[in-house]
Amino acid sequence: MRCVMSVSLRCYSTSLGCPKNRVDTERLLGSLGVALVPVESPDEAELVFINTCAFIQPATEESVRTIAQAIADIEDLPKRPLLAVAGCLVGRYHAEDLAPELPEVDLWLDNSDLEEWPAMLARKLGLPEPTVPGRILSTGPSYAWLKISDGCRHACSFCAIPNIRGGHRSHCKDMIVREARALLDQGVKELNLVAQDLTEWGCDLDGKQDLRTLLDGLLPLPGLERLRLMYLYPAGMTHEMLKYLRDAGKPFVPYFDVPVQHSHPDVLSRMGRPFARNPREAIDRIRNVFPEAALRTSIMVGFPGETEAHFEHLREFIEEVRFQHLGVFAYRAEEGTPAAAMPDQVEDRVKEWRRDLLMEAQADISAEWLSQFEGDRLSILVDAPHSEWPGLHTGRAWFQAPEIDGMVYISGPGVEPGALVDADIVECRDYDLVALA
């Protein structure tokens, strides 16, 4: 054992990548059965925990740099903390291959052992076997991510996730509702449901439940002000599901995160996307039921074989649909994926040019859409103090998801983290709003 245990444990942790990783980290640290004292740097800690991302090559490189920096920070200490590395880097490249390259890491935690992480880490630390699941929030008092499943059963040709995190596995409803209730008891007001594909929840459970079954248990929970659904495959946005959501009403917010990736059927076919060839149909279904909906999507440009005509089709699609929120990514050939071996790879400079064109168009679309709110009074959920301006805070209206969308800069009486306040919108920018309570 590398460190002297006490009632409390000094811990330095970092979680890279997506919110699903953040949930895994929060669950692990909350299940160790000791009081964790967060510290600002690895050399102050008894435990250094790094949850990695390896979805794409830049994320892999960031993970390796983070591990290397932690090793450098602790290598000369008289009593070195235990260094544990978890997550997608381990899932993709495997502990037996990583360990010889990074022998300073004391414990590797693979995604396939996710439920065993607390016990494995406790044993390495010399702690008693954990008996009660827990969770330590790292997002502040306003919102939390709630992961409802792991893995993915789709076979998109560009994606390594099924190889990294395995096939789709729904978490049981009772466990999810229990965790949601515990988060709300801590004062959290907004729950953001996340999974690789939310609409797949329940398909592998007894009785063939679906997402509506889970939402029946979440929507009535006391204290829940906002429920947001993140990452909804277009095929799952059926009329039945949309009618259910319309009838449910608050606290569901009509924010739909539907990643279409492209608009042209030829490109979608090469991508292996698991839905109808025309993503516009799913968007129209949503807007027919929710005319006021805020729509987010992600788009990939430069996929192998994407021609100028394909890209023009995509650009026209973006201009016509006018998503409120848009993320555009240049395709990267990921080792081990079918797309990496496809012919007609697009040059990097062309990918970047195409991405920039779409983002320029989106800035105008977003600014125009946000301008309608100037002079309105909106309910703003306050997230955190501004890091540079005393008295100023950041928050979000219902149509802004945490960490990925724009935000509201807000000040005035009653503005503090976790508060839900009414405020006047006094200024609109390309992606953000300014408000006075």
Side-chain angles (χ1 to χ4, degrees):
M1 185 171 65
R2 294 183 178 276
C3 43
V4 178
M5 291 297 106
S6 59
V7 175
S8 61
L9 179 70
R10 298 190 306 278
C11 176
Y12 175 85
S13 70
T14 185
S15 188
L16 305 173
C18 67
K20 296 182 288 294
N21 270 14
R22 184 192 283 266
V23 173
D24 293 340
T25 297
E26 293 177 346
R27 287 174 175 169
L28 168 69
L29 298 179
S31 298
L32 285 177
V34 294
L36 292 184
V37 179
V39 296
E40 296 296 322
S41 63
D43 58 4
E44 302 175 59
E46 296 169 282
L47 166 65
V48 176
F49 177 78
I50 301 172
N51 198 352
T52 59
C53 180
F55 175 50
I56 55 175
Q57 188 59 34
T60 298
E61 294 168 0
E62 181 188 17
S63 293
V64 172
R65 286 196 304 271
T66 302
I67 297 167
Q69 184 59 57
I71 291 170
D73 290 340
I74 66 177
E75 62 182 348
D76 294 327
L77 296 177
K79 290 186 178 180
R80 192 168 71 84
L82 186 136
L83 174 57
V85 175
C88 292
L89 183 74
V90 192
R92 186 166 188 175
Y93 297 105
H94 311 296
E96 59 268 25
D97 296 322
L98 292 167
E101 301 295 325
L102 294 163
E104 299 88 350
V105 176
D106 300 300
L107 180 64
W108 298 95
L109 297 170
D110 194 303
N111 289 323
S112 61
D113 301 317
L114 191 58
E115 294 182 1
E116 302 301 317
W117 282 9
M120 295 167 70
L121 184 53
R123 284 195 294 271
K124 198 72 174 179
L125 288 164
L127 295 171
E129 190 86 359
T131 57
V132 180
R135 185 166 168 190
I136 294 177
L137 278 180
S138 59
T139 49
S142 57
Y143 71 93
W145 303 103
L146 185 61
K147 188 171 71 164
I148 67 170
S149 65
D150 272 298
C152 184
R153 73 178 182 93
H154 302 308
C156 301
S157 62
F158 56 84
C159 183
I161 288 296
N163 294 331
I164 296 173
R165 300 194 75 104
H168 172 84
R169 305 174 308 283
S170 299
H171 298 176
C172 77
K173 174 183 174 180
D174 289 347
M175 183 191 78
I176 297 169
V177 173
R178 188 163 52 245
E179 182 176 8
R181 188 178 292 113
L183 293 168
L184 296 171
D185 287 345
Q186 295 181 52
V188 168
K189 292 183 174 63
E190 175 180 299
L191 295 178
N192 298 280
L193 270 57
V194 289
Q196 204 61 37
D197 176 5
L198 280 188
T199 60
E200 285 289 292
W201 184 89
C203 67
D204 54 332
L205 299 177
D206 293 340
K208 298 297 181 184
Q209 305 172 61
D210 67 17
L211 185 59
R212 290 172 292 182
T213 311
L214 176 60
L215 296 179
D216 282 342
L218 294 174
L219 287 165
L221 291 177
L224 180 59
E225 297 285 348
R226 293 180 182 173
L227 182 70
R228 192 184 308 273
L229 308 181
M230 306 295 297
Y231 222 83
L232 300 153
Y233 268 54
M237 289 292 90
T238 62
H239 179 74
E240 292 75 19
M241 174 60 74
L242 291 166
K243 182 178 182 299
Y244 168 89
L245 294 172
R246 182 192 65 196
D247 293 343
K250 294 181 179 180
F252 169 74
V253 295
Y255 175 106
F256 295 87
D257 175 27
V258 184
V260 300
Q261 302 300 349
H262 211 278
S263 64
H264 199 284
D266 292 349
V267 179
L268 290 169
S269 178
R270 289 166 67 89
M271 287 180 169
R273 295 294 284 168
F275 52 80
R277 304 294 295 277
N278 183 5
R280 182 65 180 266
E281 293 176 358
I283 303 306
D284 289 343
R285 277 199 304 272
I286 294 171
R287 284 185 166 156
N288 284 338
V289 178
F290 290 95
E292 78 284 17
L295 291 173
R296 157 169 279 280
T297 199
S298 56
I299 293 292
M300 184 181 295
V301 295
F303 190 79
E306 184 190 57
T307 64
E308 281 295 326
H310 292 148
F311 176 70
E312 284 304 313
H313 187 280
L314 177 61
R315 183 157 65 163
E316 290 175 6
F317 173 77
I318 296 302
E319 291 280 5
E320 291 172 5
V321 172
R322 304 185 76 78
F323 292 97
Q324 282 79 8
H325 307 287
L326 176 71
V328 183
F329 306 91
Y331 165 78
R332 289 181 175 272
E334 288 300 314
E335 180 184 1
T337 62
M342 287 181 177
D344 302 320
Q345 298 283 330
V346 179
E347 293 182 33
D348 286 346
R349 62 177 182 83
V350 175
K351 297 177 195 174
E352 302 299 327
W353 176 76
R354 291 175 180 175
R355 183 189 63 188
D356 291 346
L357 277 182
L358 291 188
M359 289 312 300
E360 287 174 10
Q362 182 60 28
D364 293 338
I365 292 170
S366 174
E368 180 183 339
W369 183 71
L370 287 176
S371 67
Q372 69 179 297
F373 297 107
E374 190 162 353
D376 285 359
R377 191 163 179 83
L378 299 178
S379 179
I380 307 299
L381 181 57
V382 184
D383 288 329
H386 194 280
S387 58
E388 297 179 6
W389 296 92
L392 185 65
H393 287 69
T394 57
R396 292 169 296 107
W398 67 266
F399 48 78
Q400 295 167 315
E403 303 178 23
I404 56 171
D405 294 336
M407 62 185 68
V408 179
Y409 295 97
I410 182 170
S411 58
V415 174
E416 59 183 18
L420 192 61
V421 298
D422 291 334
D424 296 315
I425 306 301
V426 297
E427 183 182 347
C428 300
R429 302 175 181 176
D430 284 354
Y431 296 106
D432 303 318
L433 298 169
V434 180
L436 292 175

Coordinates of all heavy atoms in Angstrom, one line a residue, residues 151-215:
G151 N -22.6 1.2 -23.5 CA -22.4 0.5 -24.8 C -23.3 0.9 -25.9 O -24.2 1.8 -25.8
C152 N -23.2 0.2 -27.0 CA -24.0 0.5 -28.2 C -24.1 -0.7 -29.1 O -23.1 -1.5 -29.3 CB -23.3 1.6 -29.0 SG -24.2 2.2 -30.4
R153 N -25.2 -0.9 -29.7 CA -25.4 -2.1 -30.5 C -25.4 -1.7 -32.0 O -25.5 -2.6 -32.9 CB -26.8 -2.8 -30.2 CG -28.0 -2.1 -30.7 CD -29.3 -2.9 -30.3 NE -30.5 -2.2 -30.8 CZ -31.0 -2.5 -32.0 NH1 -30.5 -3.4 -32.8 NH2 -32.2 -1.9 -32.4
H154 N -25.3 -0.5 -32.3 CA -25.2 0.0 -33.7 C -23.8 -0.3 -34.3 O -22.8 -0.5 -33.5 CB -25.6 1.4 -33.8 CG -26.9 1.8 -33.3 ND1 -28.1 1.1 -33.7 CD2 -27.3 2.7 -32.4 CE1 -29.1 1.6 -33.0 NE2 -28.7 2.5 -32.2
A155 N -23.7 -0.2 -35.6 CA -22.4 -0.5 -36.3 C -22.1 0.6 -37.2 O -21.8 0.3 -38.4 CB -22.5 -1.9 -37.0
C156 N -22.1 1.8 -36.8 CA -21.6 2.9 -37.6 C -20.2 2.7 -38.1 O -19.3 2.4 -37.2 CB -21.8 4.2 -36.9 SG -23.5 4.6 -36.3
S157 N -19.9 2.9 -39.3 CA -18.6 2.5 -39.9 C -17.5 3.4 -39.4 O -16.3 3.0 -39.5 CB -18.7 2.5 -41.4 OG -18.9 3.8 -41.9
F158 N -17.8 4.5 -38.8 CA -16.7 5.4 -38.4 C -16.4 5.3 -36.9 O -15.5 6.0 -36.4 CB -17.1 6.9 -38.7 CG -18.4 7.3 -38.1 CD1 -18.5 7.8 -36.8 CD2 -19.6 7.3 -38.9 CE1 -19.7 8.1 -36.3 CE2 -20.8 7.6 -38.4 CZ -20.9 8.1 -37.1
C159 N -17.2 4.6 -36.1 CA -17.2 4.7 -34.7 C -16.6 3.5 -34.0 O -16.9 2.3 -34.4 CB -18.6 4.8 -34.2 SG -18.8 5.1 -32.4
A160 N -15.7 3.7 -33.0 CA -15.1 2.7 -32.3 C -15.8 2.3 -31.0 O -15.3 1.5 -30.2 CB -13.6 3.1 -32.0
I161 N -16.9 3.0 -30.6 CA -17.5 2.9 -29.3 C -17.9 1.4 -29.0 O -17.6 0.9 -27.9 CB -18.7 3.8 -29.2 CG1 -18.2 5.3 -29.0 CG2 -19.5 3.4 -28.0 CD1 -17.4 5.5 -27.8
P162 N -18.5 0.7 -29.9 CA -18.9 -0.7 -29.6 C -17.7 -1.6 -29.2 O -17.8 -2.4 -28.4 CB -19.6 -1.2 -30.9 CG -20.1 0.0 -31.5 CD -19.1 1.1 -31.2
N163 N -16.5 -1.3 -29.9 CA -15.3 -2.0 -29.5 C -14.7 -1.6 -28.2 O -14.1 -2.4 -27.4 CB -14.2 -1.8 -30.6 CG -14.6 -2.4 -31.9 OD1 -15.4 -3.4 -31.9 ND2 -14.2 -1.8 -33.0
I164 N -14.9 -0.3 -27.8 CA -14.4 0.2 -26.6 C -15.3 -0.1 -25.4 O -14.8 -0.5 -24.3 CB -14.2 1.8 -26.7 CG1 -13.2 2.1 -27.8 CG2 -13.8 2.4 -25.4 CD1 -13.1 3.6 -28.1
R165 N -16.6 0.1 -25.5 CA -17.5 0.0 -24.4 C -18.4 -1.2 -24.5 O -19.3 -1.4 -23.6 CB -18.3 1.3 -24.2 CG -17.5 2.5 -24.0 CD -18.3 3.7 -23.5 NE -18.7 3.5 -22.1 CZ -18.1 4.2 -21.1 NH1 -17.1 5.0 -21.3 NH2 -18.5 4.0 -19.8
G166 N -18.3 -2.0 -25.5 CA -19.2 -3.2 -25.7 C -20.5 -2.9 -26.2 O -20.9 -1.8 -26.6
G167 N -21.4 -3.9 -26.2 CA -22.7 -3.8 -26.7 C -23.6 -3.1 -25.8 O -23.3 -2.8 -24.6
H168 N -24.8 -2.8 -26.2 CA -25.8 -2.0 -25.4 C -26.3 -2.8 -24.2 O -26.6 -4.0 -24.3 CB -27.0 -1.7 -26.3 CG -28.1 -1.1 -25.5 ND1 -28.2 0.3 -25.2 CD2 -29.2 -1.6 -24.9 CE1 -29.3 0.5 -24.5 NE2 -29.9 -0.6 -24.3
R169 N -26.3 -2.1 -23.1 CA -26.7 -2.7 -21.8 C -27.5 -1.7 -21.0 O -27.0 -0.7 -20.6 CB -25.5 -3.2 -20.9 CG -24.6 -4.2 -21.7 CD -23.4 -4.5 -20.9 NE -22.6 -3.4 -20.4 CZ -21.8 -2.7 -21.2 NH1 -21.7 -2.9 -22.5 NH2 -21.1 -1.7 -20.6
S170 N -28.8 -1.9 -20.9 CA -29.7 -0.9 -20.2 C -29.5 -1.1 -18.7 O -29.4 -2.2 -18.2 CB -31.2 -1.2 -20.5 OG -31.4 -1.0 -21.9
H171 N -29.4 0.0 -18.0 CA -29.5 0.0 -16.5 C -30.9 -0.2 -16.1 O -31.9 0.2 -16.8 CB -28.9 1.2 -15.9 CG -27.5 1.5 -16.2 ND1 -26.8 2.6 -15.9 CD2 -26.6 0.8 -16.9 CE1 -25.6 2.6 -16.3 NE2 -25.4 1.5 -17.0
C172 N -31.1 -0.9 -14.9 CA -32.5 -1.2 -14.5 C -33.2 0.1 -14.1 O -32.6 1.0 -13.5 CB -32.5 -2.3 -13.5 SG -32.1 -1.7 -11.8
K173 N -34.5 0.1 -14.3 CA -35.3 1.3 -14.0 C -35.2 1.7 -12.5 O -35.0 2.9 -12.2 CB -36.8 1.0 -14.4 CG -37.7 2.2 -14.0 CD -39.1 1.8 -14.3 CE -40.1 2.9 -13.8 NZ -41.5 2.6 -14.1
D174 N -35.3 0.7 -11.6 CA -35.3 1.0 -10.2 C -34.0 1.7 -9.8 O -34.0 2.6 -9.0 CB -35.6 -0.2 -9.4 CG -37.0 -0.7 -9.5 OD1 -37.9 0.0 -10.0 OD2 -37.3 -1.9 -9.1
M175 N -32.9 1.2 -10.3 CA -31.6 1.8 -10.0 C -31.5 3.2 -10.5 O -31.0 4.1 -9.8 CB -30.5 0.9 -10.6 CG -29.1 1.4 -10.2 SD -27.8 0.6 -11.2 CE -27.9 1.5 -12.7
I176 N -32.0 3.5 -11.7 CA -31.9 4.8 -12.3 C -32.8 5.8 -11.5 O -32.4 6.9 -11.1 CB -32.3 4.8 -13.7 CG1 -31.4 3.9 -14.6 CG2 -32.4 6.2 -14.3 CD1 -31.9 3.7 -16.0
V177 N -34.0 5.4 -11.2 CA -34.9 6.2 -10.4 C -34.4 6.5 -9.0 O -34.5 7.6 -8.5 CB -36.3 5.6 -10.3 CG1 -37.2 6.4 -9.4 CG2 -36.9 5.5 -11.7
R178 N -33.8 5.5 -8.4 CA -33.2 5.7 -7.1 C -32.1 6.7 -7.1 O -31.9 7.6 -6.2 CB -32.7 4.3 -6.5 CG -32.3 4.3 -5.1 CD -32.2 2.9 -4.5 NE -31.4 2.0 -5.3 CZ -31.9 1.0 -6.0 NH1 -33.2 0.7 -5.9 NH2 -31.2 0.2 -6.7
E179 N -31.2 6.6 -8.1 CA -30.1 7.5 -8.3 C -30.6 8.9 -8.5 O -30.1 9.9 -8.0 CB -29.2 7.1 -9.4 CG -28.0 8.0 -9.6 CD -27.0 7.5 -10.6 OE1 -27.3 6.5 -11.3 OE2 -25.9 8.1 -10.7
A180 N -31.7 9.0 -9.4 CA -32.2 10.3 -9.7 C -32.8 11.0 -8.4 O -32.6 12.2 -8.2 CB -33.3 10.2 -10.7
R181 N -33.5 10.2 -7.6 CA -34.1 10.7 -6.4 C -33.0 11.2 -5.4 O -33.1 12.3 -4.8 CB -34.9 9.6 -5.7 CG -35.7 10.2 -4.5 CD -36.6 9.1 -3.9 NE -37.6 8.6 -4.8 CZ -37.7 7.4 -5.4 NH1 -36.8 6.5 -5.1 NH2 -38.7 7.1 -6.1
A182 N -31.9 10.5 -5.4 CA -30.7 10.9 -4.5 C -30.1 12.2 -5.0 O -29.8 13.1 -4.2 CB -29.7 9.8 -4.5
L183 N -30.0 12.4 -6.3 CA -29.5 13.6 -6.9 C -30.4 14.8 -6.6 O -30.0 15.9 -6.2 CB -29.3 13.5 -8.4 CG -28.2 12.5 -8.8 CD1 -28.4 12.2 -10.4 CD2 -26.8 13.0 -8.5
L184 N -31.7 14.6 -6.7 CA -32.7 15.7 -6.4 C -32.7 16.0 -4.9 O -32.8 17.2 -4.6 CB -34.1 15.3 -6.9 CG -34.2 15.1 -8.4 CD1 -35.6 14.5 -8.7 CD2 -34.0 16.4 -9.1
D185 N -32.5 15.0 -4.1 CA -32.4 15.3 -2.6 C -31.2 16.1 -2.3 O -31.2 16.8 -1.2 CB -32.3 13.9 -1.9 CG -33.6 13.2 -1.9 OD1 -34.7 13.8 -2.2 OD2 -33.6 12.0 -1.5
Q186 N -30.2 16.2 -3.1 CA -29.0 17.0 -2.9 C -29.3 18.5 -3.4 O -28.4 19.3 -3.3 CB -27.8 16.5 -3.6 CG -27.3 15.1 -3.1 CD -26.1 14.6 -3.8 OE1 -25.1 15.3 -4.0 NE2 -26.1 13.4 -4.3
G187 N -30.4 18.7 -4.0 CA -30.8 20.0 -4.4 C -30.7 20.3 -5.9 O -30.9 21.4 -6.4
V188 N -30.2 19.2 -6.7 CA -30.1 19.4 -8.1 C -31.5 19.6 -8.7 O -32.5 19.0 -8.3 CB -29.5 18.1 -8.7 CG1 -29.7 18.0 -10.2 CG2 -28.1 18.0 -8.3
K189 N -31.6 20.5 -9.7 CA -32.9 20.9 -10.3 C -33.1 20.3 -11.7 O -34.2 20.2 -12.2 CB -33.1 22.4 -10.3 CG -33.2 23.0 -8.9 CD -33.5 24.5 -9.0 CE -33.8 25.1 -7.6 NZ -32.6 24.9 -6.7
E190 N -32.0 20.0 -12.4 CA -32.0 19.6 -13.8 C -31.3 18.3 -13.9 O -30.1 18.1 -13.5 CB -31.4 20.6 -14.7 CG -31.4 20.2 -16.1 CD -30.8 21.3 -17.0 OE1 -31.3 22.4 -17.1 OE2 -29.7 21.0 -17.7
L191 N -32.0 17.3 -14.5 CA -31.4 16.0 -14.8 C -31.3 15.9 -16.4 O -32.2 16.1 -17.1 CB -32.2 14.8 -14.3 CG -32.3 14.7 -12.8 CD1 -33.1 13.5 -12.4 CD2 -30.9 14.6 -12.1
N192 N -30.1 15.5 -16.8 CA -29.8 15.4 -18.2 C -29.5 13.9 -18.5 O -28.5 13.4 -18.1 CB -28.6 16.2 -18.7 CG -28.9 17.7 -18.5 OD1 -29.6 18.3 -19.3 ND2 -28.4 18.3 -17.4
L193 N -30.4 13.2 -19.2 CA -30.3 11.8 -19.4 C -29.3 11.6 -20.6 O -29.4 12.2 -21.6 CB -31.6 11.1 -19.8 CG -32.4 10.6 -18.6 CD1 -32.7 11.6 -17.5 CD2 -33.7 9.9 -19.1
V194 N -28.3 10.7 -20.3 CA -27.3 10.4 -21.4 C -27.1 8.9 -21.6 O -27.3 8.1 -20.6 CB -25.9 11.0 -21.0 CG1 -26.0 12.6 -21.1 CG2 -25.5 10.6 -19.6
A195 N -26.8 8.5 -22.8 CA -26.4 7.2 -23.2 C -25.9 7.3 -24.6 O -25.9 8.4 -25.2 CB -27.7 6.3 -23.1
Q196 N -25.4 6.2 -25.1 CA -24.9 6.2 -26.5 C -26.1 6.4 -27.4 O -26.0 7.0 -28.4 CB -24.2 4.9 -26.8 CG -23.2 5.1 -28.0 CD -22.1 6.1 -27.7 OE1 -21.6 6.3 -26.6 NE2 -21.8 6.9 -28.7
D197 N -27.3 5.8 -27.0 CA -28.5 6.0 -27.7 C -29.7 5.9 -26.7 O -30.0 4.8 -26.3 CB -28.7 5.0 -28.9 CG -30.0 5.1 -29.6 OD1 -30.8 6.0 -29.3 OD2 -30.3 4.3 -30.5
L198 N -30.2 7.0 -26.3 CA -31.3 6.9 -25.3 C -32.5 6.1 -25.7 O -33.1 5.4 -24.9 CB -31.8 8.3 -25.0 CG -31.0 9.3 -24.0 CD1 -31.8 10.5 -23.7 CD2 -30.6 8.6 -22.7
T199 N -32.8 6.1 -27.0 CA -34.0 5.5 -27.5 C -33.9 4.0 -27.5 O -34.9 3.3 -27.6 CB -34.4 5.9 -28.9 OG1 -33.3 5.6 -29.8 CG2 -34.6 7.4 -28.9
E200 N -32.7 3.4 -27.2 CA -32.5 2.0 -27.1 C -32.8 1.5 -25.7 O -32.8 0.3 -25.5 CB -31.0 1.6 -27.5 CG -30.8 1.7 -29.0 CD -31.5 0.6 -29.7 OE1 -31.1 -0.6 -29.6 OE2 -32.4 0.9 -30.5
W201 N -32.9 2.4 -24.7 CA -33.1 1.9 -23.4 C -34.3 0.9 -23.3 O -35.4 1.2 -23.8 CB -33.3 3.1 -22.4 CG -33.4 2.6 -21.0 CD1 -32.4 2.4 -20.1 CD2 -34.6 2.1 -20.3 NE1 -32.8 1.8 -18.9 CE2 -34.1 1.6 -19.0 CE3 -35.9 2.0 -20.6 CZ2 -35.0 1.1 -18.1 CZ3 -36.8 1.4 -19.7 CH2 -36.3 1.0 -18.4
G202 N -34.0 -0.2 -22.6 CA -35.1 -1.1 -22.3 C -35.2 -2.3 -23.3 O -35.9 -3.3 -23.0
C203 N -34.6 -2.2 -24.5 CA -34.9 -3.2 -25.5 C -34.3 -4.5 -25.1 O -34.7 -5.6 -25.6 CB -34.3 -2.7 -26.8 SG -32.5 -2.6 -26.8
D204 N -33.3 -4.5 -24.1 CA -32.6 -5.7 -23.7 C -33.2 -6.2 -22.3 O -32.6 -7.2 -21.8 CB -31.1 -5.5 -23.6 CG -30.7 -4.3 -22.8 OD1 -31.5 -3.4 -22.7 OD2 -29.6 -4.3 -22.2
L205 N -34.2 -5.5 -21.8 CA -34.7 -5.9 -20.5 C -35.9 -6.8 -20.6 O -36.6 -6.9 -21.7 CB -35.1 -4.7 -19.7 CG -34.0 -3.7 -19.4 CD1 -34.5 -2.4 -18.7 CD2 -32.9 -4.3 -18.6
D206 N -36.2 -7.6 -19.6 CA -37.3 -8.5 -19.6 C -38.6 -7.6 -19.8 O -38.8 -6.5 -19.2 CB -37.5 -9.2 -18.2 CG -36.3 -10.2 -18.0 OD1 -35.7 -10.6 -19.0 OD2 -36.1 -10.6 -16.9
G207 N -39.5 -8.1 -20.6 CA -40.7 -7.4 -20.9 C -40.6 -6.4 -22.0 O -41.5 -5.7 -22.3
K208 N -39.4 -6.2 -22.5 CA -39.1 -5.3 -23.6 C -39.7 -3.9 -23.3 O -40.5 -3.4 -24.0 CB -39.7 -5.8 -24.9 CG -39.1 -7.1 -25.4 CD -37.7 -7.0 -25.7 CE -37.1 -8.3 -26.2 NZ -35.6 -8.2 -26.4
Q209 N -39.2 -3.3 -22.2 CA -39.5 -2.0 -21.9 C -39.0 -1.0 -22.9 O -38.0 -1.3 -23.6 CB -39.0 -1.6 -20.5 CG -39.5 -2.6 -19.4 CD -38.8 -2.4 -18.1 OE1 -38.9 -1.4 -17.5 NE2 -38.0 -3.4 -17.6
D210 N -39.5 0.2 -22.9 CA -38.9 1.3 -23.7 C -38.7 2.5 -22.9 O -39.0 2.6 -21.7 CB -39.7 1.5 -25.0 CG -41.0 2.1 -24.8 OD1 -41.3 2.7 -23.7 OD2 -41.9 2.1 -25.7
L211 N -38.2 3.6 -23.5 CA -37.8 4.8 -22.8 C -39.0 5.4 -22.0 O -38.9 6.0 -20.9 CB -37.2 5.8 -23.7 CG -36.7 7.1 -23.2 CD1 -35.6 6.9 -22.2 CD2 -36.2 8.1 -24.3
R212 N -40.2 5.2 -22.5 CA -41.4 5.7 -21.9 C -41.6 5.1 -20.5 O -42.0 5.7 -19.5 CB -42.6 5.5 -22.7 CG -42.7 6.4 -24.0 CD -43.8 6.0 -24.9 NE -43.6 4.7 -25.5 CZ -44.4 4.1 -26.4 NH1 -45.5 4.7 -26.7 NH2 -44.2 2.9 -26.9
T213 N -41.2 3.8 -20.4 CA -41.3 3.1 -19.1 C -40.4 3.8 -18.1 O -40.8 4.0 -16.9 CB -40.9 1.6 -19.2 OG1 -41.5 1.1 -20.4 CG2 -41.2 0.9 -18.0
L214 N -39.2 4.1 -18.5 CA -38.3 4.8 -17.6 C -38.8 6.2 -17.2 O -38.8 6.6 -16.0 CB -36.9 4.9 -18.2 CG -35.9 5.6 -17.4 CD1 -35.6 5.0 -16.0 CD2 -34.5 5.7 -18.2
L215 N -39.2 7.0 -18.2 CA -39.7 8.3 -18.0 C -40.9 8.4 -17.0 O -41.1 9.3 -16.3 CB -40.0 9.0 -19.3 CG -38.8 9.2 -20.2 CD1 -39.2 9.9 -21.5 CD2 -37.7 10.0 -19.6

